Amino acid sequence: MNSADPLFLDVDFFQKRKTGQFVCGDSFFSRKIPGRNRVVSVLSDGLGSGIKASILSSMTATMALRFMEGDMEILRSAEVMMDALPVCKVRGISYATFTIVDAVLHGWTRVIEMDNPPFLLVRGGRVMTPGRREMASSRWKDRKITVNEFFARPEDRIILFSDGVTQAGMGSWANPTGWGEEKCTEYILRLLRDRPGLSSRELSRRIVSEALVREPHEHAGDDVTCAVMYFRSPRKLLVLSGPPFDGQRDREYAEMLGKFPGRKAICGGTTAEIVARELGRPLVTDLATARGGMPPLSSMDGVDLITEGILTLTLVSKILDGKEIVREKNSAARLASLLLESDRISFVVGTRVNEAHQDPTLPVELEMRRNIIRTIVRTLEEKYLKEVTVSFI
């Protein structure tokens, strides 16, 4: 990575709830602090499992985010959180663990831990041990808080997990003491050695999946959560959808794609035809790729993905928002994956009404396209911390 490149923090997580429970007792929240080039993330594990644990961890993570955003003193923040939580009758403590990552891009990063498995800082294929100090509360003498501080570098990864990962399989014949921090670390380093550019999204999923392999019948005996933060050069994506309002700008529109320094996607048959015509590139539709009720994919030199328009974007919006799970790798699933694997996403939306579809005085399709893309943009920014721009042509 060139030192002049802007640094981007790729944040993602994956979790599996304990078998037999309706909700996960772990919570992971992450938020960009506006105007401060700073991202705060919190992983909390509530006592027990199910609804009660979920409430405890959500309360803890929400409070931690607000305290970090407000620059509240660390020990005071922890005491307020512990005071606010209900007390466990068996153990006599208010209980939800937490790990907080307060990351300033091109600056110091703090990792604040209480009772979660220790985080991993992976740099250059090795686990690094940053400077750390312990803090003790005068009111909660049995609880210790560890503060780790370091200057994050390009290609650093911070990996957090709940004890459902490190204790996976505990008590079983094959893994009587669980997976363990050492073996888990070895797996992560081996994975990154084989695939050094692995995204946070894929790495977190691979770690959780590997933990579940150690459970009897792959049924989670506890809530299992892994979160990954990856400091790297941003991965850029351009998405064209809809023809330009003025046909005289078709050439300009196509050249936006041709000159873009990153991955490229086209949503819409008419849009793809314009680009193919203006750039002189053959456009081929593969009917065999029609799956799950979605239209087939097309291909063109220099374009990573070409899909149909409105139907595909509508399903992508539902996938990103968690309202739809797509088992088949259809066009919408592929576009959703491409969006999630990218960091800086540019949508260029054409505003010409397709006269073949409807009365041009009733631009329903145009409004649908705009609204769906706005919804996708909002989800990408708020839920996945992507940097997204939209322009209309």
Side-chain angles (χ1 to χ4, degrees), residues 67-68 70-79 135:
F67 293 152
M68 288 297 105
D71 295 320
M72 187 172 176
E73 196 271 327
I74 294 169
L75 188 56
R76 175 61 182 149
S77 301
E79 288 176 337
M135 307 175 73

Side-chain angles (χ1 to χ4, degrees), residues 90-375:
V90 177
R91 303 178 65 173
I93 55 175
S94 62
Y95 201 78
T97 69
F98 61 78
T99 303
I100 304 168
V101 180
D102 185 5
V104 178
L105 301 184
H106 292 298
W108 282 97
T109 291
R110 293 186 299 173
V111 182
I112 304 156
E113 302 176 290
M114 188 180 74
D115 290 352
N116 268 341
F119 80 102
L120 296 180
L121 170 60
V122 180
R123 177 180 295 164
R126 296 166 45 221
V127 173
M128 307 299 294
T129 304
R132 57 180 285 162
R133 56 192 168 93
E134 288 191 348
M135 307 175 73
S137 167
S138 58
R139 295 209 305 276
W140 298 88
K141 298 184 186 296
D142 57 336
R143 313 299 290 277
K144 282 198 171 127
I145 299 163
T146 302
V147 181
N148 308 265
E149 295 180 306
F150 55 94
F151 193 92
R153 299 178 184 175
E155 297 304 311
D156 278 0
R157 283 182 176 84
I158 298 172
I159 303 169
L160 319 178
F161 22 71
S162 62
D163 58 11
V165 173
T166 54
Q167 295 178 8
M170 181 175 284
S172 66
W173 179 84
N175 299 280
T177 59
W179 192 6
E181 293 170 15
E182 186 176 339
K183 290 182 179 177
C184 177
T185 300
E186 289 173 357
Y187 170 76
I188 292 169
L189 293 179
R190 187 168 61 250
L191 199 57
L192 292 176
R193 209 162 33 240
D194 294 339
R195 298 184 60 188
L198 209 57
S199 68
S200 294
R201 173 180 167 78
E202 189 166 357
L203 180 56
S204 60
R205 279 154 179 72
R206 293 287 292 270
I207 293 169
V208 170
S209 297
E210 190 68 19
L212 292 175
V213 167
R214 280 148 179 79
E215 296 280 7
H217 309 294
E218 298 190 17
H219 291 168
D222 192 4
D223 300 307
V224 183
T225 303
C226 176
V228 179
M229 277 132 272
Y230 182 13
F231 296 82
R232 58 172 166 76
S233 215
R235 296 173 181 172
K236 300 175 183 178
L237 172 67
L238 173 68
V239 182
L240 299 187
S241 186
F245 178 80
D246 183 354
Q248 298 297 316
R249 300 188 70 183
D250 284 358
R251 180 71 184 178
E252 174 191 345
Y253 188 51
E255 287 182 346
M256 287 181 186
L257 181 137
K259 296 176 180 177
F260 185 76
R263 290 185 287 188
K264 305 155 193 175
I266 297 174
C267 297
T270 303
T271 309
E273 289 171 3
I274 289 172
V275 174
R277 181 189 72 234
E278 296 298 328
L279 298 184
R281 300 177 185 177
L283 176 66
V284 179
T285 300
D286 184 0
L287 297 177
T289 59
R291 292 190 179 92
M294 297 300 295
L297 295 166
S298 297
S299 61
M300 182 193 308
D301 286 345
V303 182
D304 296 271
L305 185 68
I306 301 176
T307 74
E308 177 275 340
I310 297 295
L311 287 176
T312 303
L313 290 169
T314 301
L315 185 53
V316 165
S317 179
K318 292 178 180 178
I319 293 170
L320 293 176
D321 202 33
K323 295 176 181 176
E324 190 87 24
I325 298 175
V326 178
R327 304 293 181 188
E328 297 179 276
K329 200 68 172 173
N330 60 24
S331 55
R334 292 192 185 192
L335 180 56
S337 293
L338 193 58
L339 290 166
L340 292 175
E341 289 166 5
S342 304
D343 307 314
R344 293 203 169 119
I345 303 162
S346 301
F347 284 92
V348 180
V349 183
T351 56
R352 188 192 316 169
V353 176
N354 192 332
E355 298 180 18
H357 290 182
Q358 59 190 53
D359 185 337
T361 63
L362 300 172
V364 177
E365 182 189 0
L366 175 57
E367 283 308 306
M368 283 180 62
R369 189 187 303 273
R370 283 177 172 169
N371 290 336
I372 292 166
I373 289 177
R374 283 176 178 142
T375 300

Side-chain angles (χ1 to χ4, degrees), residues 57-76:
S57 65
S58 294
M59 284 178 59
T60 303
T62 300
M63 286 189 288
L65 273 182
R66 289 179 178 171
F67 293 152
M68 288 297 105
E69 288 176 29
D71 295 320
M72 187 172 176
E73 196 271 327
I74 294 169
L75 188 56
R76 175 61 182 149

